[in-house]
Each structure stands twice: as C-alpha cells, then as structure tokens.
Amino acid sequence: MTDVHRRSIIVDGHCDSPYRMLRHNVHLDEHDTEAQLDLKSLRAGGITASFFAAYVPPFYAGRGAAAFAHRLITLIQEEARRNPEVLTYCTDAEGIRAAKRDDKHALLIGVEGGHAIEDSLDILRELYARGARYMTLTHVNTNNWCDSSGDAPRHNGLTDFGRDVVRAMNDLGMIVDISHVSDAAYYAVLETTRVPVVATHSSCRAICNHPRNMTDEMLRDLAQNRGVCMINFFSAFVNEQVAQVIMRAQKRPQRGANGPGENEEMPDDRTDWDSYLKWFGTLGCPVAKFDDVIDHIVHAATIAGVDHVGLGSDFDGVPALPDGLQTAAALPRITERLLARGFTEDEVLKVLGENFMRVFGDIERGAR
Ligand SMILES: [Zn+2]
C-alpha cells in the first residue's frame, strides 16, 4: 500500500453489502463467497468511510417501503455495534475524520430509492433522524415524484412535490443523491437545490454509453454546482462492450419470468439474486479491465475537474466487476494506477475522499 493511500481519507459513496447480508443472513465479519465487501476487505482496502445502502427494492413501492428502509438501517447500525474495535457508526463529516484518527472504519447510511419515503416529508425526516445521510431520489423505478433513468418518464423530471423533497433534504443537511435519476430529473434537481449534490455511484456516458452514467454536459454542470460524481465500478457502467451486451439482452422480449428489468444493476425482490447472477452469466460479457475504472476517473477529472470526482464502488450490488477489482481489498491499486497515470498526490487525495468531504461539509453547513 502506498503512503498516500495510507494517509488518505478514503470514502466509498455506495455499497450494497447490507442487502447481501440480509439475503444471505450473514454478518460483515462472516465468510460469504459472494461478498465483494466484508470486514476483511474493508480493512485491506484502507477504506475510511463507507456508505452502506439501505436499499429498498422497487417491489416495496406502495408495499411497506419505509418499513423496509428502517429494517436495513437497523441492520447497518447493528453491524457497526458488533465490531466496535474496528467499526464506528457515524453521521457527519467530523465523524469520518475522527474515524481516520482512531484507525477505524466509519459506516454511514444512504437510503437508495425515493419510494422509501412513501410520498411523505415526515418519513423523509424520520429516515434522517435515524441516521440516513443521503437518499438516492430513485432506484431503477420512476416513483410518484421523480423520473428514473431505468424507467419510463412520468414527470418531465421532478414533480412539485419532488422539488419539495429536494428542498427538505437541503434543509436537513441530507445529501441529494442523483445517481439513478433521469437526465431531466437531474436538471430539475440542479435548478432546485441550494447546495451541492452528489452522484454516489455513477460513471461517464462519453466512454460507456449507458443511461445510468453522466454525460459530459452533466459533469460540467455538476462542477458548476460544486458537487461530486463518485465513479461506479460495475463492469456494465465502465466498459462499453459489457454495457452493449447487457442492454441488448434486457431489450429481448423473451427473457423469462426471472429476467431483470431495464438497466438494473440490482434485481428487486421478485427476481432473486441467484437467478439474476445465472442470467448475467449466460450473457457471455467480456471481462472489464481494471483501467476501465481509471479511465472514468481520468475522464471525469478532465471534464468536470479533479475537484469533482470520487469513488462509489457499488460493491455487493453488481454481478460483475473489472479484472483485479473483485473486492474492496483492491482499492490500494486504484491509488497506484492514478499515480502511474499522472495524478499528483494531492489530486489522488481529492479523488479518494477529500472532494466528498468538502461537499458533505458544504451540505451540512447549508442545513437550516
Ligand atoms: Zn444503485
């Protein structure tokens, strides 16, 4: 591990380990052959802070979505409590810095899927009160107030209530996560927010043409907003060939009852993960290269500026990762590759975590 990696605050914007732990009934410190992130790899990767997703499968929209979010929030908090020597549950930027000083790994909570609030600002505030520090406005489903990049648009972006949600999040000091939303929704959010926003796990559309990724224009506008785009490692979001294979397969009408929906990186509860993995395995996707991820970091830094790029692995939420990046333990190699590709140590520190820390601080100070 390089010295710069060791002293850096490293923030991972998004991982789906809580949903894996729930499905497999295992804890973070327990062996699971499918784990892309567990306690061991979290430590080996040198990750200071990881946002654990309280992911609410779209299936629960209108069927107890808030309760499901609460269930995962409890699970995340219990995981932190289970290993107090090495983990610390935290809810603010200062907590992340304290974790670094104490040589611990901070777990933070991000709700994934705006349907979790059941169209209620009170539920939004309850989730914040329980510790959630971001909410992804949609998952792959368009909800009653925000359009998703993975679903048919219904609102030309955001409804008036959707704009109220964004303002309420600004007031709380809760990060507005624009990963998964449609392009129109993204622009409606930028018009509405009074603080920077974050894409906790999105990559660049110019080099991998998938609707989950951000166009160059969106990246430039994110820089104007002073936000940050945290690069997703999923093979289908970083490698154009993989993206083409998976999108073609998803458009096929006869994909069987267990096939995943459009643009999913994560099946909902109607499609069990095992059959999703099996389906993905039948596609014969090429293996993405480690440097595909580095290419996205370099591209985002070139287009938006190096102050607006971060890392959002999506570990445990995706069926395929690039060669050499199978688990969180591989993170030190990202630092090595960035240095090899000409990033200065200061620039590496920014990408690994300082950019996110700046934005998180701005959002906290913007609370009313
Ligand atoms: Zn996601």
Side-chain angles (χ1 to χ4, degrees), residues 14 16 112 136 139 179-180 201 212 232 265 314:
H14 190 92
D16 277 300
E112 181 164 38
T136 309
H139 188 241
S179 284
H180 283 289
H201 57 308
R212 267 287 276 109
N232 190 314
E265 75 232 43
D314 219 350

Side-chain angles (χ1 to χ4, degrees), residues 41-106:
S41 58
L42 188 66
R43 281 188 84 61
I47 296 172
T48 314
S50 189
F51 275 89
F52 273 34
Y55 163 64
V56 181
F59 172 78
Y60 291 99
R63 295 187 187 95
F68 196 86
H70 280 293
R71 190 170 156 199
L72 280 181
I73 287 172
T74 302
L75 180 150
I76 295 164
Q77 291 169 338
E78 281 172 358
E79 286 302 325
R81 229 174 281 131
R82 215 178 122 85
N83 289 286
E85 308 302 312
V86 284
L87 297 178
T88 177
Y89 167 66
C90 111
T91 55
D92 55 18
E94 183 42 44
I96 296 176
R97 297 209 186 271
K100 182 69 188 176
R101 284 194 295 273
D102 298 343
D103 193 26
K104 288 188 179 180
H105 305 277

Side-chain angles (χ1 to χ4, degrees), residues 204-340:
C204 307
R205 213 179 293 173
I207 34 179
C208 180
N209 189 12
H210 192 291
R212 267 287 276 109
N213 288 339
M214 296 183 74
T215 65
D216 285 358
E217 188 194 345
M218 291 163 83
L219 286 168
R220 280 186 211 103
D221 293 325
L222 186 69
Q224 286 292 312
N225 162 269
R226 308 189 61 246
V228 62
C229 175
M230 305 175 89
I231 299 297
N232 190 314
F233 303 169
F234 181 24
S235 299
F237 297 163
V238 295
N239 182 291
E240 176 68 21
Q241 286 164 290
V242 179
Q244 292 307 325
V245 171
I246 189 168
M247 284 194 292
R248 254 198 316 273
Q250 280 169 334
K251 281 196 189 100
R252 250 177 252 146
Q254 303 295 338
R255 61 177 185 235
N258 284 329
E262 289 290 315
N263 307 320
E264 276 182 38
E265 75 232 43
M266 188 74 163
D268 63 38
D269 257 19
R270 290 163 299 179
T271 60
D272 71 280
W273 182 255
D274 294 335
S275 50
Y276 177 61
L277 277 186
K278 209 180 286 167
W279 172 83
F280 194 89
T282 63
L283 302 180
C285 288
V287 178
K289 296 185 303 293
F290 191 94
D291 261 36
D292 287 341
V293 170
I294 307 300
D295 289 347
H296 281 259
I297 296 171
V298 170
H299 183 81
T302 306
I303 301 299
V306 73
D307 291 334
H308 305 284
V309 191
L311 306 177
S313 68
D314 219 350
F315 284 133
D316 285 331
V318 298
L321 288 159
D323 188 36
L325 192 46
Q326 301 308 320
T327 75
L331 245 69
R333 245 192 100 201
I334 290 186
T335 297
E336 286 167 27
R337 290 303 303 149
L338 288 175
L339 291 168

